Amino acid sequence: MNKNTVLGRRRMLMCALFSMPLLTALPVQAKSEPLNIADAINKAGRQRMLSQRIAKAYAQLVLGIYPERARTMLNNSVALFESQLAELTAFSPTSEIRALYRQLAEVWEPYRKSATAIASIAGLKQVAALNEGVLHTAHVATLALEKQSGSAVGHLVNVSGRERMLSQRCAKFSLFRAAGLRDDAVEKGLADARKEFESGLAELKAAPQNTLEINNQLLLASSQWGFFVSAMNSYELGAQNQTSLQYIAASSDHVLEVMDATTAMYQSIYRV
């Protein structure tokens, strides 16, 4: 690929990404209204996403990528995680699920402390080590709620919600690499997350429960994922190109916003 082609692609990405509004769909705090099982699956799945979004925001602070925005993102994500954790613990319909949320609270606390400390490379290594345990426990709890629902739509809420997490996970690993965390776990994690997002999107597109509105939303998700993939591919490891890293941070948020809206659509067609 010649230099002019690369520059042209980067200009196209910048115009597409920064002509779109900043992520506004996610709440800062969980609503206090009573949950049904579809609500719970959505919020439980959002906990997975927040575990990755917090790590991504911390990496942005280390790298100086939209630092003010990253600080707000981190603070809001921590606040939302904690309010949803309390809400989901109170909702827990079985002793097994309640125990999972007690376990999540235990792994969350050291992660929260590391993620809200002053950003540094040493701190980033701690965040990298701790976020996986939070993600794993939140995922197991989400699967338990999906099983409790016994519904095909409950499964779609879970899969769609997981796409939100994968958007932030891809960005997290991309920024980890840029910050110098380049071990095999990071490389494999990024490759696996990209494949898993595409597999999840294909499953959602094939779902017979889809409405016209959901199908249109999934088309939008595909286009935003394409921009995000181009952003990830445009970054040259070791080049420390801030513009490319900005593409990664911004385009991952556009994918997240689209998938959060899609998840809400699946939630709305759930029937008890």
Side-chain angles (χ1 to χ4, degrees):
M1 187 180 295
N2 63 45
K3 184 176 180 180
N4 288 336
T5 301
V6 172
L7 291 174
R9 178 174 294 179
R10 288 179 177 174
R11 281 194 294 269
M12 181 181 69
L13 276 169
M14 177 173 282
C15 290
L17 291 174
F18 296 101
S19 64
M20 295 183 66
L22 225 63
L23 183 70
T24 57
L26 296 181
V28 175
Q29 290 186 321
K31 293 182 180 179
S32 59
E33 298 169 0
L35 298 182
N36 63 34
I37 191 68
D39 298 329
I41 295 169
N42 186 2
K43 291 187 178 185
R46 190 180 286 136
Q47 297 292 79
R48 296 177 298 198
M49 180 277 290
L50 291 169
S51 75
Q52 303 305 283
R53 188 163 175 76
I54 289 165
K56 170 197 161 186
Y58 191 99
Q60 284 186 224
L61 289 171
V62 170
L63 291 163
I65 305 300
Y66 299 131
E68 292 184 8
R69 190 184 305 176
R71 175 57 64 188
T72 299
M73 181 196 309
L74 195 155
N75 291 340
N76 289 349
S77 296
V78 167
L80 182 56
F81 190 101
E82 292 195 320
S83 63
Q84 288 188 156
L85 180 58
E87 195 176 14
L88 289 163
T89 301
F91 171 81
S92 297
T94 68
S95 57
E96 173 198 3
I97 293 172
R98 195 171 301 110
L100 285 169
Y101 278 107
R102 285 197 296 266
Q103 182 182 345
L104 182 57
E106 290 174 3
V107 295
W108 162 248
E109 187 57 25
Y111 181 44
R112 182 193 64 79
K113 288 181 179 178
S114 293
T116 54
I118 296 173
S120 67
I121 289 293
L124 186 63
K125 291 177 180 178
Q126 287 185 327
V127 165
L130 292 170
N131 82 95
E132 294 294 324
V134 177
L135 171 60
H136 173 75
T137 308
H139 181 58
V140 173
T142 308
L143 292 179
L145 285 165
E146 180 199 324
K147 182 179 178 181
Q148 184 72 18
S149 78
S151 163
V153 175
H155 174 69
L156 294 173
V157 174
N158 177 26
V159 173
S160 181
R162 190 166 184 267
E163 297 288 85
R164 298 176 297 194
M165 179 276 290
L166 290 168
S167 74
Q168 301 303 284
R169 188 166 176 80
C170 286
K172 176 198 80 171
F173 282 131
S174 296
L175 297 178
F176 279 7
R177 293 171 80 236
L181 277 61
R182 302 173 191 164
D183 59 21
D184 290 343
V186 170
E187 298 295 336
K188 184 176 186 302
L190 177 57
D192 288 349
R194 289 176 64 159
K195 290 177 185 176
E196 289 165 13
F197 185 96
E198 291 177 353
S199 175
L201 191 57
E203 180 180 354
L204 293 173
K205 286 180 176 179
Q209 296 87 352
N210 288 356
T211 63
L212 177 61
E213 184 182 25
I214 288 173
N215 282 329
N216 288 337
Q217 190 74 6
L218 291 172
L219 287 174
L220 178 59
S222 292
S223 68
Q224 292 306 312
W225 173 249
F227 281 124
F228 185 25
V229 169
S230 294
M232 288 187 283
N233 290 344
S234 75
Y235 177 70
E236 298 176 12
L237 194 61
Q240 290 301 314
N241 184 313
Q242 292 291 97
T243 302
S244 292
L245 296 177
Q246 289 172 347
Y247 292 159
I248 289 170
S251 57
S252 70
D253 279 351
H254 294 316
V255 175
L256 168 59
E257 184 165 15
V258 172
M259 291 313 306
D260 194 58
T262 307
T263 306
M265 290 177 188
Y266 280 119
Q267 179 186 333
S268 72
I269 64 173
Y270 179 85
R271 295 293 181 268
V272 178

